[in-house]
Amino acid sequence: MRVARSATLLLALVPALSWAQQTAQVPERGGDAASIEEAVTSRVPLEEIRRYVAVYNAVRAAYVEPVDDKKLMQSAIRGLLLDLDPHSTYFDKEDAEAFDEQAEGAYEGIGVELQQQPDNSSLKVIAPIDDTPAAKAGILAGDLIIAIDGKPISAIDASEPLRGKAGTRTVLTIVREGKPKPFDVPITRETIRVTSVRSRMLEPGYGYIRLSTFQADTGADFQKHVAQLQQQAGGHLKGLVLDLRSNPGGLLTAAVQVADDLLEKGNIVSTRGRISISDARFDATPGDLLKGAPVVVLADAGSASASEVLAGALRDNGRARVVGSRTFGKGSVQTVLPLDNGDSVKLTTARYYTPSGKSIQATGIVPDVVLLPEKKEGDDDMPASLSDYSEATLPGHLRGDDEGGEGYQAGDVLPGDGPIKDALSELKQPGSVVAKQKPASRPAAPAAGRPTQKPEQKPETEPKPEPKPESKPEPKPEPKPEPKP
């Protein structure tokens, strides 16, 4: 596995950031005066800086209440990043440390991946993490948190508002599509030790591995679980279901390692950015842990970023089929740049490209076999999917190369065991799940995880007084999430 280029990205950008912080200094004398002035003004837009200082001074002097200089400056910096894209953000020292803790897999909170909304009025849930207080309390991907302990999100200063001492209680006010009004969910914080890899045997010879996130030890844990499953199968697996549903991503290098463990050769992913150091290529090295046993990847609308990289790498190399729903579509790379005072800037620096050369951004991974979410009693008024749950609907998101293509529909969140059963069926007999969509008419209430009917449906043959055009599925509305608490 070749990862050297990625490891140098942060090291290369840190000096660049230090250089940027020094560009306002007076240049040394000497040389052509005109060229020196041109160099300085090209680095720092002095007129815009003067305009900012004028507004800054006006706020300090005339705002109805005194404003702390540090708080005012941090607000200005956050605003600077807010309009770039939804995933670039500013971390103060405490938040930066919390972000690092999350990558290591241990912190105190409720266990949910959040996205701050641009209007600062809500936090969108990308995905709850398995077996955490958030997941146990029933928090779902796509939920909007509009208040915490009765306090509106817009009135909360911290960017990690749900963190807190283990054992303390918090109440979230949730807005959920299909529910007539907001409702409260009480949750008790815990020390979150995220187990990113779980496994079990589905049937003799057929294994199941669940990847809930990608953190520092995910690659090594994946290898251990594969070895355990092979031992239970008598030394060789007949096939593997790899579950990436509601996996919000994490460390790219962890996803690359898992892909490398399943590939003998080929490209895994490439990144391209504005500066050459952001460009990287990850290729597989010889050695397939499963020795060619078939793999089915299970994904849904909550599968984002690194999980999309893994799904795309395995499918584009012909190593696995993807079953489930269109993924989230977060195809951008973020680099954390530390500042001198302990704060950090998380900045979008590149885009992901799958081995076939396609960008994931705002389009996601379209599965080979599409599944619908389970229909539950009392959900008659709930849409079949959270139709606004995708990267493409985030205000200010990076425009995708193939964004807005004809027939685009955001994916579904697919909870429960139904999709696992369908993935196993597809693993044992490719095409078997698609064969189940042959009935002449689509059922009004599809069973858990059953696939959508992709082929065009002909109108019923019963005579009609007037000819009518073929019925088509009603398109979903145009769709509209990264720090972890």
Side-chain angles (χ1 to χ4, degrees):
M1 178 175 61
R2 302 176 178 89
V3 298
R5 289 299 299 277
S6 177
T8 63
L9 177 58
L10 178 59
L11 296 178
L13 287 176
V14 169
L17 187 62
S18 298
W19 168 84
Q21 295 180 65
Q22 298 170 8
T23 54
Q25 296 177 357
V26 178
E28 296 180 4
R29 295 188 177 277
D32 181 71
S35 63
I36 292 176
E37 181 180 359
E38 180 180 354
V40 173
T41 54
S42 65
R43 293 179 179 181
V44 180
L46 295 181
E47 290 301 318
E48 296 302 318
I49 295 297
R50 292 190 183 100
R51 183 158 65 106
Y52 165 76
V53 171
V55 174
Y56 185 93
N57 287 332
V59 172
R60 292 182 64 204
Y63 186 66
V64 64
E65 294 179 352
V67 182
D68 178 72
D69 284 341
K70 181 178 179 180
K71 181 178 179 180
L72 188 58
M73 184 61 72
Q74 284 189 332
S75 297
I77 295 173
R78 293 184 193 280
L80 174 68
L81 295 167
L82 184 64
D83 284 344
L84 294 180
D85 73 282
H87 308 294
S88 294
T89 189
Y90 182 84
F91 292 148
D92 60 26
K93 184 177 180 179
E94 181 180 346
D95 292 338
E97 291 173 352
F99 186 83
D100 291 339
E101 287 176 3
Q102 187 118 21
E104 297 299 324
Y107 62 98
E108 292 186 332
I110 68 168
V112 66
E113 177 90 2
L114 296 176
Q115 172 63 52
Q116 178 77 53
Q117 298 302 285
D119 61 3
N120 200 37
S121 65
S122 63
L123 298 168
K124 174 168 274 190
V125 176
I126 300 178
I129 300 173
D130 291 351
D131 293 331
T132 61
K136 295 172 185 176
I139 300 298
L140 300 178
D143 283 350
L144 290 177
I145 302 173
I146 61 171
I148 300 174
D149 296 326
K151 191 174 183 179
I153 296 298
S154 58
I156 298 175
D157 293 332
S159 63
E160 300 276 357
L162 295 178
R163 288 185 179 273
K165 188 176 180 179
T168 58
R169 185 175 181 270
T170 186
V171 177
L172 311 185
T173 303
I174 302 293
V175 172
R176 179 176 297 167
E177 188 165 356
K179 298 296 183 181
K181 58 183 181 179
F183 57 96
D184 289 341
V185 178
I187 302 179
T188 300
R189 298 180 179 92
E190 296 178 4
T191 298
I192 309 298
R193 292 181 177 87
V194 179
T195 302
S196 64
V197 187
R198 292 182 175 83
S199 66
R200 70 177 190 267
M201 296 298 295
L202 295 176
E203 287 184 5
Y206 291 95
Y208 167 86
I209 291 182
R210 162 71 176 159
L211 299 181
S212 61
T213 186
F214 291 98
Q215 54 195 37
D217 57 359
T218 299
D221 286 349
F222 177 77
Q223 294 175 351
K224 294 176 184 177
H225 281 265
V226 169
Q228 291 170 2
L229 290 173
Q230 288 176 326
Q231 185 177 12
Q232 295 173 37
H236 180 69
L237 285 171
K238 297 179 183 178
L240 176 71
V241 172
L242 185 59
D243 190 351
L244 302 179
R245 291 176 299 166
S246 292
N247 180 328
L251 299 179
L252 172 62
T253 49
V256 168
Q257 185 174 349
V258 173
D260 189 21
D261 286 338
L262 296 174
L263 293 171
E264 284 284 356
K265 60 180 180 179
N267 176 239
I268 295 174
V269 66
S270 58
T271 66
R272 303 175 211 165
R274 181 180 174 190
I275 58 178
S276 59
I277 195 62
S278 299
D279 298 344
R281 178 183 172 91
F282 300 84
D283 292 319
T285 54
D288 176 0
L289 293 182
L290 295 181
K291 302 185 185 304
V295 177
V296 163
V297 173
L298 184 57
D300 69 359
S303 306
S305 194
S307 57
E308 296 176 281
V309 167
L310 176 56
L314 296 179
R315 185 170 69 178
D316 283 6
N317 282 286
R319 185 65 185 87
R321 303 184 74 225
V322 179
V323 172
S325 185
R326 185 191 292 265
T327 59
F328 187 79
K330 182 185 175 296
S332 59
V333 183
Q334 282 70 45
T335 303
V336 178
L337 308 174
L339 303 178
D340 294 340
N341 64 348
D343 296 355
S344 296
V345 174
K346 181 159 69 73
L347 191 67
T348 298
T349 55
R351 298 172 187 253
Y352 292 124
Y353 290 86
T354 65
S356 63
K358 293 184 178 180
S359 170
I360 301 169
Q361 178 61 20
T363 57
I365 303 291
V366 180
D368 301 293
V369 178
V370 180
L371 306 180
L372 286 174
E374 180 181 0
K375 185 75 172 180
K376 297 180 180 179
E377 290 186 17
D379 285 351
D380 293 339
D381 297 329
M382 184 173 289
S385 72
L386 299 172
S387 58
D388 65 343
Y389 187 61
S390 72
E391 173 81 9
T393 62
L394 296 179
H397 71 275
L398 293 177
R399 181 77 182 178
D401 294 347
D402 300 319
E403 182 177 351
E406 184 177 355
Y408 173 87
Q409 290 184 336
D412 300 309
V413 176
L414 302 172
D417 291 335
I420 299 176
K421 295 177 182 178
D422 283 323
L424 176 61
S425 177
E426 190 67 20
L427 179 65
K428 295 168 64 176
Q429 186 177 353
S432 61
V433 174
V434 176
K436 296 177 183 178
Q437 58 189 16
K438 294 296 185 181
S441 61
R442 179 176 176 174
R450 290 300 183 259
T452 58
Q453 297 188 2
K454 278 186 164 182
E456 277 193 14
Q457 302 295 310
K458 294 183 179 181
E460 297 180 2
T461 55
E462 183 179 335
K464 308 283 184 180
E466 294 180 6
K468 294 184 178 180
E470 293 184 354
S471 61
K472 297 183 179 179
E474 183 177 348
K476 299 178 182 177
E478 271 302 309
K480 280 202 177 208
E482 167 136 328
K484 295 185 177 181

